[in-house]
Every structure is written in C-alpha cells, then in structure tokens.
CSV table of all heavy atoms in Angstrom, one decimal:
chain,number,residue,atom,x,y,z
C,38,MET,N,0.8,-1.2,0.0
C,38,MET,CA,0.0,0.0,0.0
C,38,MET,C,0.9,1.2,0.0
C,38,MET,O,1.8,1.3,0.8
C,38,MET,CB,-0.9,0.0,1.3
C,38,MET,CG,-1.9,1.1,1.3
C,38,MET,SD,-3.2,0.8,2.5
C,38,MET,CE,-3.1,2.3,3.4
C,39,LEU,N,0.6,2.2,-0.9
C,39,LEU,CA,1.4,3.4,-1.0
C,39,LEU,C,0.9,4.5,0.1
C,39,LEU,O,-0.3,4.5,0.4
C,39,LEU,CB,1.3,4.0,-2.4
C,39,LEU,CG,1.7,3.1,-3.5
C,39,LEU,CD1,1.4,3.7,-4.9
C,39,LEU,CD2,3.2,2.9,-3.4
C,40,TRP,N,1.9,5.3,0.5
C,40,TRP,CA,1.6,6.3,1.4
C,40,TRP,C,0.7,7.3,0.8
C,40,TRP,O,0.0,8.1,1.5
C,40,TRP,CB,2.8,7.0,1.9
C,40,TRP,CG,3.7,7.6,0.9
C,40,TRP,CD1,4.7,7.0,0.2
C,40,TRP,CD2,3.6,8.9,0.4
C,40,TRP,NE1,5.2,7.9,-0.7
C,40,TRP,CE2,4.6,9.1,-0.6
C,40,TRP,CE3,2.8,10.0,0.7
C,40,TRP,CZ2,4.7,10.3,-1.3
C,40,TRP,CZ3,3.0,11.2,0.0
C,40,TRP,CH2,3.9,11.3,-1.0
C,41,SER,N,0.6,7.4,-0.6
C,41,SER,CA,-0.3,8.3,-1.2
C,41,SER,C,-1.7,7.9,-1.3
C,41,SER,O,-2.6,8.6,-1.7
C,41,SER,CB,0.3,8.7,-2.6
C,41,SER,OG,0.3,7.5,-3.4
C,42,ASP,N,-1.9,6.6,-1.0
C,42,ASP,CA,-3.3,6.1,-1.1
C,42,ASP,C,-4.2,6.8,-0.1
C,42,ASP,O,-3.7,7.2,1.0
C,42,ASP,CB,-3.4,4.6,-0.7
C,42,ASP,CG,-2.8,3.7,-1.9
C,42,ASP,OD1,-2.6,4.3,-2.9
C,42,ASP,OD2,-2.6,2.6,-1.7
C,43,PRO,N,-5.5,7.0,-0.4
C,43,PRO,CA,-6.4,7.6,0.6
C,43,PRO,C,-6.6,6.7,1.7
C,43,PRO,O,-6.6,5.4,1.6
C,43,PRO,CB,-7.6,7.8,-0.2
C,43,PRO,CG,-7.6,6.8,-1.4
C,43,PRO,CD,-6.1,6.7,-1.7
C,44,GLU,N,-6.7,7.2,2.9
C,44,GLU,CA,-7.0,6.3,4.1
C,44,GLU,C,-8.3,5.6,3.9
C,44,GLU,O,-9.3,6.3,3.5
C,44,GLU,CB,-7.0,7.2,5.4
C,44,GLU,CG,-5.6,7.8,5.7
C,44,GLU,CD,-5.7,8.6,6.9
C,44,GLU,OE1,-6.5,8.3,7.8
C,44,GLU,OE2,-4.9,9.6,7.0
C,45,ASN,N,-8.4,4.4,4.3
C,45,ASN,CA,-9.6,3.7,4.2
C,45,ASN,C,-10.5,3.8,5.4
C,45,ASN,O,-10.7,3.0,6.2
C,45,ASN,CB,-9.5,2.2,3.8
C,45,ASN,CG,-8.7,1.5,4.9
C,45,ASN,OD1,-8.2,2.1,5.9
C,45,ASN,ND2,-8.6,0.2,4.8
C,46,GLU,N,-10.8,5.1,5.6
C,46,GLU,CA,-11.7,5.4,6.8
C,46,GLU,C,-13.2,5.1,6.5
C,46,GLU,O,-13.6,5.4,5.4
C,46,GLU,CB,-11.5,6.9,7.1
C,46,GLU,CG,-12.3,7.4,8.3
C,46,GLU,CD,-11.6,8.5,9.0
C,46,GLU,OE1,-10.4,8.4,9.2
C,46,GLU,OE2,-12.4,9.4,9.4
C,47,PRO,N,-13.8,4.5,7.5
C,47,PRO,CA,-15.2,4.2,7.2
C,47,PRO,C,-16.0,5.4,7.0
C,47,PRO,O,-15.7,6.5,7.6
C,47,PRO,CB,-15.6,3.4,8.5
C,47,PRO,CG,-14.6,3.8,9.5
C,47,PRO,CD,-13.3,4.1,8.8
C,48,PRO,N,-17.1,5.3,6.2
C,48,PRO,CA,-17.9,6.5,6.0
C,48,PRO,C,-18.6,6.9,7.3
C,48,PRO,O,-18.6,6.2,8.3
C,48,PRO,CB,-19.0,6.0,5.0
C,48,PRO,CG,-18.9,4.5,5.1
C,48,PRO,CD,-17.5,4.2,5.5
C,49,LYS,N,-19.0,8.2,7.3
C,49,LYS,CA,-19.5,8.8,8.5
C,49,LYS,C,-20.8,8.1,9.1
C,49,LYS,O,-20.9,7.8,10.3
C,49,LYS,CB,-20.0,10.3,8.2
C,49,LYS,CG,-20.4,11.0,9.4
C,49,LYS,CD,-20.8,12.4,9.1
C,49,LYS,CE,-21.3,13.2,10.3
C,49,LYS,NZ,-21.6,12.5,11.5
C,50,GLU,N,-21.6,7.5,8.2
C,50,GLU,CA,-22.8,6.8,8.7
C,50,GLU,C,-22.4,5.6,9.5
C,50,GLU,O,-22.9,5.3,10.5
C,50,GLU,CB,-23.7,6.3,7.5
C,50,GLU,CG,-24.2,7.4,6.6
C,50,GLU,CD,-23.3,7.8,5.5
C,50,GLU,OE1,-22.7,6.9,4.9
C,50,GLU,OE2,-23.2,8.9,5.1
C,51,LEU,N,-21.3,4.8,8.9
C,51,LEU,CA,-20.9,3.6,9.6
C,51,LEU,C,-20.3,4.0,11.0
C,51,LEU,O,-20.6,3.3,12.0
C,51,LEU,CB,-19.8,3.0,8.8
C,51,LEU,CG,-19.4,1.6,9.2
C,51,LEU,CD1,-20.6,0.6,9.1
C,51,LEU,CD2,-18.2,1.1,8.4
C,52,ARG,N,-19.6,5.1,11.1
C,52,ARG,CA,-19.0,5.5,12.4
C,52,ARG,C,-20.1,5.9,13.3
C,52,ARG,O,-20.0,5.6,14.5
C,52,ARG,CB,-18.0,6.6,12.2
C,52,ARG,CG,-16.5,6.1,11.8
C,52,ARG,CD,-15.6,7.3,11.6
C,52,ARG,NE,-15.9,8.0,10.3
C,52,ARG,CZ,-15.7,9.2,10.1
C,52,ARG,NH1,-15.2,10.0,11.0
C,52,ARG,NH2,-16.0,9.7,8.9
C,53,ASP,N,-21.0,6.6,12.8
C,53,ASP,CA,-22.2,7.0,13.6
C,53,ASP,C,-22.9,5.8,14.2
C,53,ASP,O,-23.3,5.7,15.3
C,53,ASP,CB,-23.2,7.9,12.9
C,53,ASP,CG,-22.6,9.3,12.7
C,53,ASP,OD1,-21.6,9.6,13.3
C,53,ASP,OD2,-23.2,10.1,12.0
C,54,MET,N,-23.1,4.8,13.3
C,54,MET,CA,-23.8,3.6,13.8
C,54,MET,C,-23.0,2.8,14.8
C,54,MET,O,-23.6,2.4,15.8
C,54,MET,CB,-24.1,2.7,12.6
C,54,MET,CG,-25.2,1.7,12.7
C,54,MET,SD,-25.6,0.8,11.3
C,54,MET,CE,-24.2,-0.3,11.1
C,55,GLN,N,-21.7,2.8,14.6
C,55,GLN,CA,-20.8,2.1,15.6
C,55,GLN,C,-20.9,2.8,17.0
C,55,GLN,O,-21.0,2.2,18.0
C,55,GLN,CB,-19.4,2.0,15.1
C,55,GLN,CG,-19.2,1.0,14.0
C,55,GLN,CD,-17.8,1.0,13.4
C,55,GLN,OE1,-17.1,2.1,13.5
C,55,GLN,NE2,-17.4,0.0,12.8
C,56,ASP,N,-21.0,4.1,16.9
C,56,ASP,CA,-21.1,5.0,18.1
C,56,ASP,C,-22.4,4.7,18.8
C,56,ASP,O,-22.4,4.4,20.0
C,56,ASP,CB,-21.1,6.5,17.7
C,56,ASP,CG,-19.9,7.1,18.3
C,56,ASP,OD1,-18.9,6.4,18.7
C,56,ASP,OD2,-19.9,8.4,18.4
C,57,MET,N,-23.5,4.6,18.0
C,57,MET,CA,-24.8,4.3,18.6
C,57,MET,C,-24.8,2.9,19.2
C,57,MET,O,-25.3,2.7,20.4
C,57,MET,CB,-25.8,4.5,17.6
C,57,MET,CG,-27.2,4.7,18.1
C,57,MET,SD,-28.4,4.9,16.8
C,57,MET,CE,-28.5,3.2,16.1
C,58,LEU,N,-24.2,1.9,18.5
C,58,LEU,CA,-24.3,0.6,19.1
C,58,LEU,C,-23.4,0.5,20.3
C,58,LEU,O,-23.8,-0.2,21.3
C,58,LEU,CB,-23.6,-0.4,18.0
C,58,LEU,CG,-24.6,-0.7,16.9
C,58,LEU,CD1,-23.8,-1.5,15.8
C,58,LEU,CD2,-25.8,-1.5,17.3
C,59,ARG,N,-22.3,1.2,20.4
C,59,ARG,CA,-21.5,1.2,21.6
C,59,ARG,C,-22.3,1.8,22.8
C,59,ARG,O,-22.4,1.2,23.9
C,59,ARG,CB,-20.2,2.1,21.4
C,59,ARG,CG,-19.1,1.6,22.3
C,59,ARG,CD,-17.8,2.3,21.8
C,59,ARG,NE,-17.4,1.8,20.6
C,59,ARG,CZ,-17.1,2.6,19.5
C,59,ARG,NH1,-17.2,3.9,19.6
C,59,ARG,NH2,-16.7,2.1,18.4
C,60,ARG,N,-23.0,2.9,22.5
C,60,ARG,CA,-23.8,3.5,23.5
C,60,ARG,C,-24.9,2.6,23.9
C,60,ARG,O,-25.3,2.5,25.2
C,60,ARG,CB,-24.4,4.9,23.1
C,60,ARG,CG,-23.7,6.0,23.7
C,60,ARG,CD,-24.3,7.4,23.2
C,60,ARG,NE,-23.3,8.0,22.4
C,60,ARG,CZ,-23.5,8.5,21.1
C,60,ARG,NH1,-24.8,8.3,20.6
C,60,ARG,NH2,-22.6,9.1,20.4
C,61,LEU,N,-25.6,1.9,23.0
C,61,LEU,CA,-26.6,1.0,23.3
C,61,LEU,C,-26.1,-0.1,24.2
C,61,LEU,O,-26.8,-0.6,25.1
C,61,LEU,CB,-27.2,0.5,22.0
C,61,LEU,CG,-28.6,-0.2,22.1
C,61,LEU,CD1,-29.7,0.8,22.4
C,61,LEU,CD2,-28.9,-0.8,20.7
C,62,GLY,N,-24.9,-0.6,23.9
C,62,GLY,CA,-24.4,-1.7,24.7
C,62,GLY,C,-24.2,-1.3,26.1
C,62,GLY,O,-24.4,-2.0,27.0
C,63,VAL,N,-23.6,-0.1,26.3
C,63,VAL,CA,-23.4,0.4,27.6
C,63,VAL,C,-24.7,0.6,28.4
C,63,VAL,O,-24.9,0.2,29.5
C,63,VAL,CB,-22.7,1.8,27.6
C,63,VAL,CG1,-22.7,2.4,28.9
C,63,VAL,CG2,-21.3,1.7,27.0
C,64,LEU,N,-25.8,1.1,27.7
C,64,LEU,CA,-27.1,1.2,28.3
C,64,LEU,C,-27.7,-0.1,28.7
C,64,LEU,O,-28.2,-0.3,29.8
C,64,LEU,CB,-28.0,2.0,27.3
C,64,LEU,CG,-27.9,3.4,27.3
C,64,LEU,CD1,-28.9,4.0,26.2
C,64,LEU,CD2,-28.2,4.0,28.6
C,65,MET,N,-27.5,-1.1,27.8
C,65,MET,CA,-28.0,-2.4,28.1
C,65,MET,C,-27.3,-3.0,29.4
C,65,MET,O,-27.9,-3.6,30.2
C,65,MET,CB,-27.8,-3.4,26.9
C,65,MET,CG,-28.7,-3.1,25.7
C,65,MET,SD,-30.4,-3.6,26.1
C,65,MET,CE,-30.3,-5.3,26.1
C,66,ALA,N,-26.0,-2.8,29.4
C,66,ALA,CA,-25.2,-3.3,30.6
C,66,ALA,C,-25.7,-2.7,31.8
C,66,ALA,O,-25.9,-3.4,32.9
C,66,ALA,CB,-23.7,-3.1,30.4
C,67,LEU,N,-25.9,-1.4,31.8
C,67,LEU,CA,-26.4,-0.6,33.0
C,67,LEU,C,-27.8,-1.1,33.4
C,67,LEU,O,-28.1,-1.4,34.6
C,67,LEU,CB,-26.5,0.9,32.7
C,67,LEU,CG,-25.1,1.5,32.8
C,67,LEU,CD1,-25.3,3.1,32.3
C,67,LEU,CD2,-24.6,1.5,34.2
C,68,ALA,N,-28.7,-1.3,32.4
C,68,ALA,CA,-30.0,-1.8,32.6
C,68,ALA,C,-30.0,-3.2,33.3
C,68,ALA,O,-30.8,-3.5,34.2
C,68,ALA,CB,-30.8,-1.9,31.3
C,69,MET,N,-29.1,-4.1,32.8
C,69,MET,CA,-29.0,-5.4,33.4
C,69,MET,C,-28.6,-5.3,34.9
C,69,MET,O,-29.0,-6.0,35.8
C,69,MET,CB,-27.9,-6.2,32.7
C,69,MET,CG,-28.4,-6.7,31.3
C,69,MET,SD,-29.7,-7.9,31.4
C,69,MET,CE,-28.9,-9.3,32.0
C,70,VAL,N,-27.6,-4.4,35.2
C,70,VAL,CA,-27.1,-4.2,36.5
C,70,VAL,C,-28.2,-3.8,37.4
C,70,VAL,O,-28.5,-4.3,38.5
C,70,VAL,CB,-25.9,-3.3,36.6
C,70,VAL,CG1,-25.6,-2.9,38.1
C,70,VAL,CG2,-24.7,-3.9,35.9
C,71,VAL,N,-29.0,-2.7,37.0
C,71,VAL,CA,-30.1,-2.3,37.7
C,71,VAL,C,-31.1,-3.3,38.0
C,71,VAL,O,-31.7,-3.5,39.0
C,71,VAL,CB,-30.8,-1.0,37.0
C,71,VAL,CG1,-32.0,-0.6,37.7
C,71,VAL,CG2,-29.8,0.2,37.0
C,72,ALA,N,-31.5,-4.1,36.9
C,72,ALA,CA,-32.4,-5.2,37.0
C,72,ALA,C,-32.0,-6.2,38.1
C,72,ALA,O,-32.8,-6.7,38.9
C,72,ALA,CB,-32.6,-5.8,35.7
C,73,MET,N,-30.7,-6.5,38.1
C,73,MET,CA,-30.2,-7.5,39.1
C,73,MET,C,-30.4,-7.0,40.5
C,73,MET,O,-30.8,-7.7,41.4
C,73,MET,CB,-28.7,-7.7,38.9
C,73,MET,CG,-28.4,-8.5,37.6
C,73,MET,SD,-28.8,-10.3,37.7
C,73,MET,CE,-28.2,-10.9,36.2
C,74,ILE,N,-30.0,-5.6,40.6
C,74,ILE,CA,-30.2,-5.1,42.0
C,74,ILE,C,-31.7,-5.1,42.4
C,74,ILE,O,-32.0,-5.4,43.5
C,74,ILE,CB,-29.7,-3.6,42.0
C,74,ILE,CG1,-28.1,-3.6,41.8
C,74,ILE,CG2,-30.0,-2.9,43.2
C,74,ILE,CD1,-27.5,-2.3,41.6
C,75,VAL,N,-32.5,-4.6,41.5
C,75,VAL,CA,-34.0,-4.6,41.8
C,75,VAL,C,-34.5,-6.0,42.2
C,75,VAL,O,-35.2,-6.2,43.2
C,75,VAL,CB,-34.8,-4.0,40.6
C,75,VAL,CG1,-36.3,-4.2,40.9
C,75,VAL,CG2,-34.4,-2.5,40.5
C,76,LEU,N,-34.1,-7.0,41.4
C,76,LEU,CA,-34.5,-8.4,41.7
C,76,LEU,C,-34.0,-8.9,43.0
C,76,LEU,O,-34.6,-9.7,43.7
C,76,LEU,CB,-34.2,-9.3,40.5
C,76,LEU,CG,-35.0,-9.1,39.2
C,76,LEU,CD1,-34.4,-9.9,38.1
C,76,LEU,CD2,-36.5,-9.4,39.4
C,77,GLY,N,-32.7,-8.5,43.3
C,77,GLY,CA,-32.1,-9.0,44.5
C,77,GLY,C,-32.8,-8.4,45.8
C,77,GLY,O,-32.9,-9.0,46.8
C,78,VAL,N,-33.3,-7.1,45.6
C,78,VAL,CA,-33.9,-6.5,46.7
C,78,VAL,C,-35.3,-7.1,47.0
C,78,VAL,O,-35.7,-7.2,48.1
C,78,VAL,CB,-34.0,-5.0,46.4
C,78,VAL,CG1,-34.9,-4.3,47.4
C,78,VAL,CG2,-32.6,-4.3,46.5
C,79,MET,N,-36.0,-7.4,46.0
C,79,MET,CA,-37.4,-8.0,46.1
C,79,MET,C,-37.4,-9.3,46.8
C,79,MET,O,-36.5,-10.1,46.7
C,79,MET,CB,-38.0,-8.1,44.8
C,79,MET,CG,-38.3,-6.8,44.1
C,79,MET,SD,-38.8,-6.9,42.4
C,79,MET,CE,-40.6,-7.1,42.6
C-alpha cells in the first residue's frame, strides 16, 4: 500500500452507527445491573 493512497476510513454513517451501538451496549449493561439489584432487593 502506498503512502499516497487515501486512508480507508469508514464512512460517517458507519462510524455514527458504531457509536450508537456502543452507547446502546453500555445502556444495556447498565439496565442489566439495575435489574439485578432490583430483583435482589425484592
């Protein structure tokens, strides 16, 4: 690969989608933790 080649950076939509999926994953993990705590208290 030549240094003059354009960087194969993913398009903006793809990066936005990855960002959203990452955030969704974090939210899901938090929701699971909260659910575990709530179920443990009951």
Side-chain angles (χ1 to χ4, degrees):
M38 185 164 128
L39 300 172
W40 59 270
S41 59
D42 284 351
E44 292 181 28
N45 63 351
E46 180 147 318
K49 187 177 178 347
E50 299 90 34
L51 190 65
R52 273 179 288 153
D53 285 350
M54 200 171 72
Q55 285 174 338
D56 243 18
M57 201 178 67
L58 284 173
R59 204 170 294 126
R60 255 181 248 126
L61 198 66
V63 171
L64 279 176
M65 287 290 288
L67 282 173
M69 288 292 286
V70 170
V71 170
M73 292 287 186
I74 292 170
V75 168
L76 287 173
V78 167
M79 290 171 90

